Amino acid sequence: MLQELRIVDLGVIDEAVIELDPGFTVVTGETGAGKTMVVTALGLIAGARANAAKVRAGRDRAAVETRWAPSTEHGFLPATEATLGAVGGRVDEDGTLIAARTVGADGRSRAHLGGRAVPLGTLAELAEPLIAVHGQTEAITLLRPGPQRAVLDRFAGVTADVAGYRELRARWQRLAADLTERRTRARERAQREQLLRAGLAEIESVAPLPGEDRQLIDEVRRLQNLDGLRAAAAQAQQALTGDDDAAAPAAALVHGAAQQLDAVGDPRLAELAGQLRSASLTLADVGTELSGYLSTLDDDPGRLTQVLERQAQLRGLIRRYGEDLDAVCAWARSAAQELLDLDTSDDRLAHLEAEVAEARRELGRVAGRLSGERSSAAERLGRLVTAELASLAMARATVRVRVGQRPGDPADPQSVPVDHGWRVAGPDGIDQVEIVLVAHPGAPELPIAKGASGGELSRVMLALEVVLADADPVGTMVFDEVDAGVGGRAATEIGARLAALAGSHQVIVVTHLAQVAAFADRHYVVDADSAGRIGTSNVRLVTGRDRERELARMLGGTNGPAARAHARDLLAGAGRSASATPLRRAG
């Protein structure tokens, strides 16, 4: 919910702060006083294009700052939390979120969210689920095919179905692109496949083992020094264990020394004797291991040649496929996987063609169901909006929602089979949705961009929002001049509809009609001073008698007893009407 709006140097507004009601807030004032700048300011927050001409004359920039309260008792909507987290912004200590926009006199625009400078697109992304601005110019969004299709989808309740359609379409396009790429690059793929297969065959013929190159280096070193190793081990063994021709071996000498120390009976020498006996056992163990080592030193002159040849084979693989044998094995695994992806065999292509065809048929089935639901909902939406317009001074007008498709062709890569024909499958389905208006019986059926004036377009938006109240996720709705060109009972009906809409949404309205303003929960008046400036003191919250005086001014410009009595009657009637007017539900 929008809690506060602050405007600085925008249009005729010097500075203004408006605290919004959770329900229905109305802004009134004399023509030219700047009340429409409220809508302009909110449009800037919603991502509207910046206009340097809106900067107050003589100032460097205009600024708009909004403070948003959490949407639920648990915090902001997940989409809002995600947008804020993505830019590193944060909420204030009181739990509110500040979003701001500045527009320089040079036309440059900057945006801030949660204390962080952000791209304008981020601010628009934040505002999309929070606020919808329906002004005479801002309602232009309804003139585009995308928003019109989105309006129908919300009413039909097929938003999740559209998301599923998009996933299927993306899969179909990926498969089709893969098939096309395989066909067009078949020669390159075949050459790459041949290279990979040759490399794998060479590696498989050598059959290297992980770490084998390091093991062979150790074995070559040992084989090349075989005589030296044998001599050293034999001499060491002889010194430890002795033989018939040798002097007393080291183990025997140590053992004898231990016996001599034991013989004298001295405790300290006995302790040393124990250490000598332990050393004697160690020497005997080493002698035994040396004997075993000598037995492994087979004098096989052919072994060294075999190992050197094996090393040469491995070095050849390493030169071509990796910096060591582990890298060669990794290349082989990667090449085997790549071969699966490069498979251009007839069987593989046939299998992929079948996948593409099935994905295309499935997309056509889903698109057909989605189109049927849209067509059914379009008739109901047009009927309900037309009924709403009858209460908004457009009783002779009729709104229709047309759902059509572009014919396709089997040869067109963007077409899918639907029922017994072919249709072009766009990002959101096969349908082209257009809202059209018949201004009066006998008038031509025209797109609302051509058939509705600014005020009529705002009223069409209001009628749509009333009908879509249950389905619309946007919490704050802003209307500017929705009552243009109407008066009397029609104006009262517009006020009642806005009050009904405020039962489920926050509604902000700029109006010049007392019949509409009387329904508001909170009423602000924008006045310019004698110099044409609007500061904080010139934006007043009016209640009680002050509000009666403002309504009397709006009714006829006088503040006499009759006008005041009329204003009191409007307020009393608005209270009764608001409590008795049900909000038309979607469906």
Side-chain angles (χ1 to χ4, degrees), residues 385-397:
V385 172
T386 298
E388 283 294 331
L389 289 179
S391 301
L392 299 176
M394 294 179 66
R396 303 182 67 196

Side-chain angles (χ1 to χ4, degrees), residues 433-468:
V433 177
E434 186 176 38
I435 300 176
V436 297
L437 179 70
V438 180
H440 54 81
E445 189 177 83
L446 296 174
I448 56 174
K450 298 178 180 179
S453 65
E456 289 173 336
L457 184 57
S458 293
R459 273 174 272 165
V460 171
M461 284 301 307
L462 173 57
L464 280 168
E465 294 299 356
V466 170
V467 172
L468 293 168

Side-chain angles (χ1 to χ4, degrees), residues 388 489 492-493 495-501 503 519 571-585:
E388 283 294 331
R489 182 169 181 79
T492 302
E493 290 290 343
R497 287 297 185 272
L498 289 167
L501 188 60
F519 282 87
L571 289 170
R576 292 191 300 271
S577 178
S579 62
T581 302
L583 182 65
R584 189 181 302 277
R585 301 298 180 185

Side-chain angles (χ1 to χ4, degrees), residues 368-440:
R369 288 196 299 268
L370 179 59
S371 180
E373 293 179 23
R374 282 174 173 159
S375 297
S376 176
E379 189 277 329
R380 290 183 288 119
L381 178 59
R383 174 166 38 83
L384 291 174
V385 172
T386 298
E388 283 294 331
L389 289 179
S391 301
L392 299 176
M394 294 179 66
R396 303 182 67 196
T398 301
V399 167
R400 296 193 181 97
V401 183
R402 295 194 302 209
V403 179
Q405 298 89 31
R406 287 172 52 195
D409 185 271
D412 180 2
Q414 298 300 319
S415 295
V416 296
V418 178
D419 295 330
H420 302 292
W422 291 83
R423 298 289 184 269
V424 175
D428 302 301
I430 59 174
D431 301 310
Q432 294 178 308
V433 177
E434 186 176 38
I435 300 176
V436 297
L437 179 70
V438 180
H440 54 81

Side-chain angles (χ1 to χ4, degrees), residues 208-213 314 317-318 322-330:
L209 300 174
E212 184 182 359
D213 50 344
L314 297 181
L317 295 181
I318 291 171
E323 59 185 13
D324 56 26
L325 208 56
D326 289 342
V328 171
C329 294

Side-chain angles (χ1 to χ4, degrees), residues 170-356:
R171 178 177 179 272
W172 169 52
Q173 290 181 324
R174 286 195 302 271
L175 290 172
D178 185 19
L179 178 60
T180 300
E181 195 268 346
R182 287 176 186 274
R183 286 171 172 168
T184 57
R185 298 184 59 191
R187 178 176 298 178
E188 294 178 21
R189 284 175 170 269
Q191 292 173 347
R192 177 64 176 167
E193 182 180 354
Q194 185 177 12
L195 178 64
L196 292 175
R197 291 193 185 280
L200 284 174
E202 182 180 7
I203 293 173
E204 290 172 1
S205 67
V206 176
L209 300 174
E212 184 182 359
D213 50 344
R214 295 186 293 273
Q215 295 173 1
L216 290 180
I217 290 173
D218 294 337
E219 186 174 0
V220 167
R221 185 180 297 116
R222 185 169 62 85
L223 290 173
Q224 288 177 335
N225 194 26
L226 192 61
D227 291 340
L229 294 174
R230 184 181 290 109
Q235 291 173 5
Q237 183 195 30
Q238 186 179 26
L240 291 174
T241 61
D243 57 25
D244 294 342
D245 299 328
L253 292 174
V254 172
H255 181 72
Q259 288 180 327
Q260 290 178 2
L261 295 177
D262 276 336
V264 297
D266 182 78
R268 174 59 181 157
L269 294 179
E271 180 181 347
L272 294 174
Q275 295 179 18
L276 288 175
R277 281 195 296 274
S278 177
S280 176
L281 293 174
T282 299
L283 293 174
D285 289 342
V286 172
T288 301
E289 290 187 18
L290 286 172
S291 177
Y293 177 78
L294 285 168
S295 67
T296 65
L297 297 178
D298 296 332
D299 191 7
D300 181 3
R303 177 58 184 166
L304 179 59
T305 300
Q306 294 173 356
V307 173
L308 292 175
E309 289 177 350
R310 180 65 175 175
Q311 273 191 322
Q313 289 180 314
L314 297 181
R315 278 196 297 270
L317 295 181
I318 291 171
R319 280 196 305 271
R320 287 184 287 278
Y321 305 108
E323 59 185 13
D324 56 26
L325 208 56
D326 289 342
V328 171
C329 294
W331 183 93
R333 290 191 296 271
S334 176
Q337 181 59 50
E338 188 178 351
L339 274 176
L340 293 177
D341 297 334
L342 285 173
D343 187 1
T344 56
S345 65
D346 291 341
D347 289 344
R348 174 58 181 164
L349 288 177
H351 178 73
L352 188 54
E353 287 173 354
E355 281 190 282
V356 171

